Amino acid sequence: MNIAMIGTGYVGLVTGSCFAETGNDVVCVDIDEAKIEQLRVGTVPLYELGLEELIERNTREGRLSFSTDLAEAVKRAEAVFIAVGTPQVSEGGADLSQVFAVAEDIARAMNGGKIVVTKSTVPVGTAARVREIIEAGTGHPVAVVSNPEFLKEGTAVEDFMKPDRVVLGGEDAAALERLKSLYEPFVPGGNPIILTDSRSAEMSKYAANAMLATKISFINETARLCEKEGADIEQVRRVMGLDHRIGPHFIYPGIGFGGSCLPKDIRAMIAMGGDELEMPLLRAVDRVNETQKDLLLEKVSRHFGEGLAHCTLAVWGLAFKARTDDMREAPALRVVDGLLEAGARVRAFDPEAMGEARKRYGDRIEYGSNNYEVAEGADAVLILTEWNEFRSPDFPRLKELLRQPVLFDGRNLYDPAAMQRHGFVYYSIGRGRG
């Protein structure tokens, strides 16, 4: 199939590259000329495991190309995917201006019947509105299908190549069957391709992310209660996870969730509910998450006192999760901002997010080439991202480097008893008082 992928962010690049990998001819389109030129010479402007190799191979073999010419890409394509940004607006809803602008551009460029696919995360009813816009601007037939993505940053390529499920929502049966055949190579094991109406497809993405966010906020609130009552959240979590109705996934306590999806999507659902529904549960999920981001700052302040001007603090991890360079809504941002506001000297290291950190903080913080370098002479280490590189450090070496043997573990990477044996003052999340 000839495919035009409009938008070259995480979703567009991963989706386009994976389609090319299965033999389709894909052109990825963006208005950013500098980004397109980067991609043409093999420079991928984001970190996603396995993506660079996928782009290099499919570009070399002629199945994947990059362009700023949307009209030409649409003319060549049988299916046009809209994968542009839908940033949060101040009221919490999604800004659909880019989606609708692309729909207008598609209508002007159409030279025959097309399947248009909304891949961006969009509120319920967006596919219908996109169809209206395109039909108003062209005399050619168009079928609009909602195809929400369920990709996790850090494992997005694997998620796309081996999906738990594929959701296709629309009212044109022929278009749905055509797209179903496009996805069939990715589900040889029989994982379902679900055909539904567009509104249900659009809602499914929000509902799935809202449930994941709810599990995280629930376990974080329970962790706070464990600290108050002297219980161990890790033992509680294990008992919960053995109940097949709950399961072990997304019940790991920490300093809250971030990224480009969960925070934005639960706020978009709240906005969709409006005054009529209010969405009290999701409002609480969001509120708990925002509160959780301050938890490590509270522990640091209790240990060192309110003013931190006398402290040098080493930060391990800046991305919102491991295996990505994405710092959007990262809990680390709240922590680092709070440390700076309190007067602390901050040294930071992240295996992939250093470039993004420099864009945000400039010379307000110091940067190291590894986790031990930033710890040298520091009064404490704060672990903010669960990178594998941080899971088994040389504790005797770390203790020797630090001015004080203090660890604030925002991801519960270590065993408290082991940390006591190593001689550290150790703070974690939901494991006793502290």
Side-chain angles (χ1 to χ4, degrees):
M1 182 184 288
N2 285 327
I3 295 170
M5 186 67 55
I6 314 301
T8 60
Y10 278 95
V11 174
L13 281 180
V14 170
T15 303
S17 301
C18 290
F19 280 148
E21 182 75 0
T22 53
N24 299 285
D25 291 317
V26 181
V27 56
C28 291
V29 178
D30 204 288
I31 61 173
D32 187 334
E33 294 183 4
K35 180 190 278 191
I36 291 298
E37 190 55 39
Q38 276 186 304
L39 289 164
R40 283 173 174 163
V41 299
T43 302
V44 182
L46 53 88
Y47 176 76
E48 184 62 46
L49 189 66
L51 180 59
E52 186 172 350
E53 295 86 347
L54 209 59
I55 289 175
E56 189 279 329
R57 179 170 57 253
N58 285 282
T59 302
R60 184 182 67 246
E61 296 177 3
R63 294 185 297 271
L64 180 64
S65 60
F66 303 95
S67 176
T68 58
D69 192 339
L70 182 146
E72 182 59 30
V74 170
K75 286 180 171 63
R76 291 180 57 246
E78 178 183 349
V80 182
F81 283 73
I82 301 175
V84 296
T86 55
Q88 180 180 304
V89 297
S90 57
E91 297 82 9
D95 180 354
L96 299 177
S97 58
Q98 294 182 62
V99 173
F100 295 152
V102 167
E104 292 173 355
D105 290 340
I106 291 170
R108 284 191 291 268
M110 283 176 61
N111 58 348
K114 305 288 180 184
I115 301 172
V116 174
V117 184
T118 54
K119 196 67 178 170
S120 306
T121 299
V122 292
V124 175
T126 301
R129 179 60 185 142
V130 166
R131 185 176 66 249
E132 291 173 359
I133 291 170
I134 295 175
E135 288 178 342
T138 183
H140 297 291
V142 63
V144 178
V145 174
S146 173
N147 174 213
E149 53 86 12
F150 298 97
L151 307 178
K152 302 183 294 293
E153 288 188 35
T155 61
V157 171
E158 182 180 0
D159 291 343
F160 195 98
M161 300 297 280
K162 300 176 182 178
D164 295 327
R165 76 288 204 199
V166 174
V167 178
L168 299 169
E171 288 64 48
D172 187 307
L176 291 175
E177 286 300 321
R178 188 72 183 95
L179 290 172
K180 182 181 177 183
S181 68
L182 178 66
Y183 273 104
E184 280 173 346
F186 301 102
V187 289
N191 284 354
I193 298 177
I194 300 171
L195 305 183
T196 183
D197 62 278
S198 61
R199 287 177 174 267
S200 297
E202 289 164 337
M203 181 60 82
S204 69
K205 171 61 186 289
Y206 284 106
N209 275 357
M211 175 56 76
L212 298 178
T214 300
K215 292 184 74 173
I216 296 169
S217 281
F218 174 83
I219 202 67
N220 281 335
E221 188 166 81
T222 304
R224 283 182 172 252
L225 186 59
C226 283
E227 287 193 6
K228 175 179 180 293
E229 298 297 334
D232 184 344
I233 188 61
E234 291 301 317
Q235 299 302 321
V236 173
R237 180 189 64 77
R238 185 180 175 213
V239 172
M240 291 172 55
L242 291 171
D243 187 325
H244 70 275
R245 297 168 300 176
I246 299 171
H249 304 295
F250 278 77
I251 55 171
Y252 289 88
I255 51 174
F257 56 80
S260 63
C261 292
L262 296 191
K264 179 169 69 76
D265 289 355
I266 61 172
R267 292 166 194 161
M269 281 190 77
I270 292 169
M272 279 189 273
D275 294 336
E276 182 179 355
L277 296 182
E278 293 187 353
M279 309 299 283
L281 176 60
L282 292 186
R283 289 182 187 275
V285 168
D286 191 30
R287 185 170 63 251
V288 168
N289 188 58
E290 291 304 299
T291 301
Q292 195 72 10
K293 292 179 180 180
D294 293 325
L295 182 58
L296 222 58
L297 284 171
E298 295 169 9
K299 292 175 183 287
V300 171
S301 293
R302 283 199 299 269
H303 181 88
F304 289 110
E306 288 297 324
L308 300 178
H310 58 292
C311 292
T312 297
L313 299 173
V315 167
W316 288 8
L318 294 164
F320 85 93
K321 62 181 285 190
R323 299 207 287 183
T324 181
D325 62 351
D326 194 347
M327 290 179 61
R328 286 174 289 182
E329 298 262 1
L333 296 176
R334 181 77 66 82
V335 176
V336 172
D337 289 348
L339 296 177
L340 292 174
E341 186 176 338
R345 178 185 177 190
V346 177
R347 298 175 180 167
F349 170 73
D350 186 284
E352 294 295 338
M354 299 297 274
E356 294 300 312
R358 285 188 172 92
K359 292 177 187 176
R360 179 180 177 93
Y361 290 109
D363 59 3
R364 295 170 60 207
I365 67 175
E366 300 170 32
Y367 309 91
S369 58
N370 60 64
N371 51 322
Y372 295 109
E373 183 180 333
V374 297
E376 186 172 2
D379 293 288
V381 169
L382 284 71
I383 299 168
L384 307 184
T385 311
E386 65 280 17
W387 285 97
N388 285 337
E389 290 90 328
F390 305 154
R391 291 184 180 274
S392 299
D394 183 335
F395 287 113
R397 178 186 176 188
L398 181 59
K399 184 179 178 183
E400 187 175 318
L401 288 172
L402 287 167
R403 192 156 55 196
Q404 302 182 50
V406 183
L407 273 173
F408 295 92
D409 185 355
R411 299 297 178 179
N412 282 8
L413 299 188
Y414 311 133
D415 176 59
M419 298 310 300
Q420 185 176 20
R421 289 195 301 271
H422 284 298
F424 283 89
V425 178
Y426 180 65
Y427 298 91
S428 56
I429 308 296
R431 296 190 286 185
R433 300 182 185 275

